[in-house]
Amino acid sequence: MIKTLIDKLLDKTVRPTLRRSRFGKREDVPVSVHGIDPSLVDGRALDVVHTLKRAGYEAYIVGGAVRDLLLGLRPKDFDVATNATPEQVKALFRRAFIIGRRFRIVHVVFGRGREHEVIEVSTFRAYLDSAAAEPVVGDERSKRALAGVSLAVDASGRVLRDNVWGPIEQDAARRDFTINAMYYDPETETVVDFHQGIRDARKRVLRMIGDPPTRYREDPVRIIRAVRFAAKLSGLGFKLDDKTRAPMAAHLPLLADVPPSRLFDEMLKLLQTGHAIASVEALRANGLARGIYPLLDVVVERGEDPFVRAALQDTDRRVAEGKPVAPSFLLACVLWQDVRTAWQRRLGEGVPPFPALAEAVDEVFESRIGDVSGRGKLGADMREIWMMQPRFDKRTGQSPFTLVEQPRFRAGFDFLRLRAQVGEVEEELSHWWETFSLAGEAVRRDMVEAVRLEQQRAKAPGKAPRSRRRRADDPTGDEAMAPVAPAVPEAVVPSPDGPDGEAPSPTAPRKRRRRRRKPAGGGEGGGTPADGGAPDA
């Protein structure tokens, strides 16, 4: 009896208090306080919210988009959260696709081709109680063990499957950082805040919701996300909360159980979202320089290498300018040191240049990249960038014309440009190829011919090579580059403008003009560069 009474008292007092601290306290913040500019909201995200609400569901813009809006920034991506299930969301949109196994979400697609945009829609998730989850031996890819399971964890408490839906306050508690757990209703212009995210945004603090060690055990990838957000927002003055930062390094070994494909994707987010340099610095500052992912370890280790740093800076610049970036290019830059070393070693052993380079690339794929080399296009693009480098040295014949038409020429040239920037190759080579790639056909042929003549001079010093005959349809062909013939000695003829004002002497010997015999069968054109069409004299 007494025990029952105590349980009832605890249920009325302690449990509501715990519930409030666990799920936070809801605050509906009006526009007069948060100050979000509605013109910064993407119209397609608005369409998704309006469609869901017209169908009778709750719907909010959520996550990093709300954070950026609070900071006065225009978000690059918009996510929507709703109480509609993935199947219900999919039924409302013509082009919607349910993706994911660990977390099932919906991609609503607008537009086609390069102009398409994806709005990610997630369903409110219930609060995770690890004790209630079904323990599974394996990982996210264990299809048989996870078949028909909605909530599952492994022995360490890491979430393997989480598709249990709940109310909005529980969904907010499931999110990682307070500044990413706010919900914006564009119709009422209200921000719903459960964990004082607006306060932390104004204080420029990155704070984990709940107990940080527990949250890192649930999903160790949150360690990488913490670094990424710290790097991304460092320029705005954001810093990691001490309680959030302190357990990160100690929980790093938990990442060993995360599938490599997921870690690879998280690595690319660190390096290709416009804050690569800041991400490398944040990894070092938080004791995470090694142990996340082998390729990332190499990036951090070589972060101060001039070539790798130039590649990271170039990536950040392209993202800032809204230009596309490819992981193959950045990884090719990071691993070029290994390829070049293996290549030079084989050349020293007498292996011809191209076979030596191909063998060096295979060696690096095996030792550094592992299963990433099997990612099809990524590995093929890296290989093509590397194999293109010795081809830039050949600038005669048809080789330049063939190379510039290659689909990956621009990536290979950008790689060459970075090599020239750090002094690995002559800058003149980079300038030549840049000019060649932008020039018309006639100018390209002139450039190739100039290189041919220069190489001939280098092979036979002091002997002027004969120029090729100009084509009839190319009036600017070789004229400017034809070697100057040695002067023929002739008698001195006083100038009519000379100081003595005398005319030329009638007895002065005349210059004898020697007519060169026209070759039998003619040439490509009807004349030579010297006289614009008449036979050589």
Side-chain angles (χ1 to χ4, degrees):
M1 187 74 174
I2 296 176
K3 183 177 182 301
T4 304
L5 179 61
I6 292 174
D7 288 341
K8 287 183 178 179
L9 290 173
L10 287 173
D11 188 70
K12 291 181 180 179
T13 57
V14 178
R15 289 184 183 177
T17 303
L18 290 174
R19 189 158 50 245
R20 281 196 301 272
S21 63
R22 175 181 293 173
F23 300 142
K25 180 180 179 181
R26 175 168 178 152
E27 296 182 34
D28 293 286
V29 183
V31 65
S32 59
V33 176
H34 62 68
I36 288 178
D37 181 359
S39 68
L40 298 177
V41 181
D42 184 87
R44 292 168 177 176
L46 291 176
D47 289 343
V48 172
V49 171
H50 295 331
T51 300
L52 287 165
K53 296 187 80 170
R54 282 197 302 269
Y57 301 110
E58 291 181 74
Y60 302 88
I61 293 171
V62 70
V66 182
R67 175 199 68 222
D68 290 347
L69 290 169
L70 279 172
L71 298 173
L73 307 175
R74 185 180 297 277
K76 292 183 178 179
D77 302 301
F78 282 84
D79 297 337
V80 171
T82 178
N83 62 344
T85 65
E87 291 76 14
Q88 290 168 334
V89 174
K90 185 178 186 301
L92 293 174
F93 299 93
R94 184 172 61 88
R95 297 182 65 206
F97 308 92
I98 299 175
I99 67 167
R101 290 190 299 268
R102 187 168 179 265
F103 302 126
R104 295 177 69 230
I105 60 177
V106 180
H107 278 179
V108 180
V109 182
F110 294 87
R112 295 184 181 277
R114 293 185 177 181
E115 302 301 322
H116 83 285
E117 180 180 357
V118 174
I119 303 297
E120 188 173 287
V121 183
S122 60
T123 303
F124 296 150
R125 288 175 293 158
Y127 183 79
L128 172 67
D129 185 352
S130 299
E134 185 172 340
V136 170
V137 177
D139 58 23
E140 294 92 323
R141 297 171 295 184
S142 305
K143 295 181 181 180
R144 181 174 299 179
L146 294 172
V149 178
S150 297
L151 181 62
V153 298
D154 65 7
S156 67
R158 183 167 63 91
V159 180
L160 304 180
R161 184 65 57 86
D162 180 15
N163 291 305
V164 181
W165 319 127
I168 186 174
E169 63 269 18
Q170 294 189 25
D171 184 72
R174 293 297 314 278
R175 296 182 179 272
D176 45 17
F177 299 99
T178 59
I179 61 171
N180 291 339
M182 295 176 284
Y183 303 75
Y184 176 61
D185 185 343
E187 293 186 350
T188 64
E189 296 188 41
T190 300
V191 171
V192 180
D193 185 4
F194 289 92
H195 299 281
Q196 299 181 326
I198 291 180
R199 183 201 66 177
D200 287 349
R202 289 174 176 170
K203 292 175 65 176
R204 301 299 195 262
V205 172
L206 279 166
R207 181 166 58 88
M208 183 73 71
I209 296 172
D211 178 53
T214 301
R215 305 308 304 278
Y216 292 142
R217 284 194 297 271
E218 289 174 358
D219 187 3
V221 169
R222 286 184 175 130
I223 297 171
I224 307 175
R225 286 170 57 82
V227 172
R228 176 156 57 90
F229 288 129
K232 178 179 180 179
L233 300 173
S234 61
L236 298 175
F238 278 81
K239 293 183 178 180
L240 284 167
D241 171 67
D242 289 341
K243 292 182 179 179
T244 299
R245 179 175 49 80
M248 289 168 59
H251 287 77
L252 195 60
L254 294 175
L255 287 168
D257 296 325
V258 177
S261 59
R262 190 172 176 218
L263 292 176
F264 180 80
D265 292 339
E266 290 296 329
M267 177 191 72
L268 294 185
K269 290 178 183 178
L270 278 175
L271 302 177
Q272 293 197 286
T273 53
H275 312 279
I277 295 291
S279 294
V280 169
E281 294 173 352
L283 287 168
R284 289 175 177 156
N286 291 286
L288 306 172
R290 299 191 65 82
I292 292 180
Y293 188 71
L295 270 177
L296 185 59
D297 293 347
V298 178
V299 175
V300 178
E301 177 186 336
R302 298 177 180 174
E304 295 304 319
D305 176 83
F307 185 62
V308 174
R309 190 168 184 85
L312 295 173
Q313 290 173 336
D314 192 64
T315 300
D316 287 348
R317 175 189 61 80
R318 291 183 64 87
V319 173
E321 294 174 357
K323 297 179 180 178
V325 292
S328 56
F329 180 83
L330 181 57
L331 294 180
C333 292
V334 171
L335 297 178
W336 175 239
Q337 176 180 322
D338 297 323
V339 172
R340 190 178 57 201
T341 300
W343 185 22
Q344 294 298 327
R345 185 175 69 250
R346 283 170 170 78
L347 289 175
E349 296 169 355
V351 181
F354 276 96
L357 181 55
E359 292 177 11
V361 171
D362 290 339
E363 178 183 317
V364 172
F365 273 150
E366 182 68 26
S367 63
R368 288 291 197 186
I369 301 180
D371 68 340
V372 177
S373 63
R375 287 174 174 256
K377 191 174 188 308
L378 175 70
D381 288 350
M382 292 174 66
R383 181 184 295 273
E384 193 168 357
I385 289 171
W386 288 329
M387 295 300 295
M388 203 178 292
Q389 297 311 300
R391 296 182 63 186
F392 284 112
D393 292 328
K394 186 172 182 181
R395 294 179 287 164
T396 57
Q398 283 298 118
S399 181
F401 299 92
T402 303
L403 182 57
V404 81
E405 297 301 325
Q406 295 294 319
R408 297 289 297 165
F409 169 79
R410 190 67 209 183
F413 167 73
D414 285 341
F415 194 92
L416 175 75
R417 177 175 52 81
L418 289 182
R419 292 175 64 203
Q421 183 176 321
V422 299
E424 186 179 319
V425 297
E426 294 292 335
E427 285 195 11
E428 186 275 333
L429 183 64
S430 172
H431 295 326
W432 191 94
W433 278 102
E434 182 171 18
T435 303
F436 185 84
S437 66
L438 299 174
E441 182 72 11
V443 175
R444 286 181 177 181
R445 292 197 176 278
D446 288 348
M447 293 177 66
V448 170
E449 178 66 8
V451 172
R452 185 188 70 82
L453 294 173
E454 182 180 347
Q455 291 179 355
Q456 284 189 357
R457 293 191 190 98
K459 291 179 181 178
K463 183 178 179 181
R466 294 179 61 187
S467 64
R468 292 180 180 174
R469 297 177 66 84
R470 175 177 55 84
R471 299 175 323 185
D473 59 346
D474 183 10
T476 61
D478 296 333
E479 182 173 0
M481 294 174 290
V484 179
V488 179
E490 56 185 77
V492 177
V493 180
S495 169
D497 306 317
D500 52 5
E502 295 180 1
S505 170
T507 60
R510 295 180 60 187
K511 179 182 175 181
R512 296 177 61 87
R513 296 178 64 86
R514 183 177 60 183
R515 184 177 300 276
R516 184 178 299 168
R517 181 175 301 174
K518 184 176 180 180
E524 292 178 11
T528 66
D531 58 11
D536 288 339

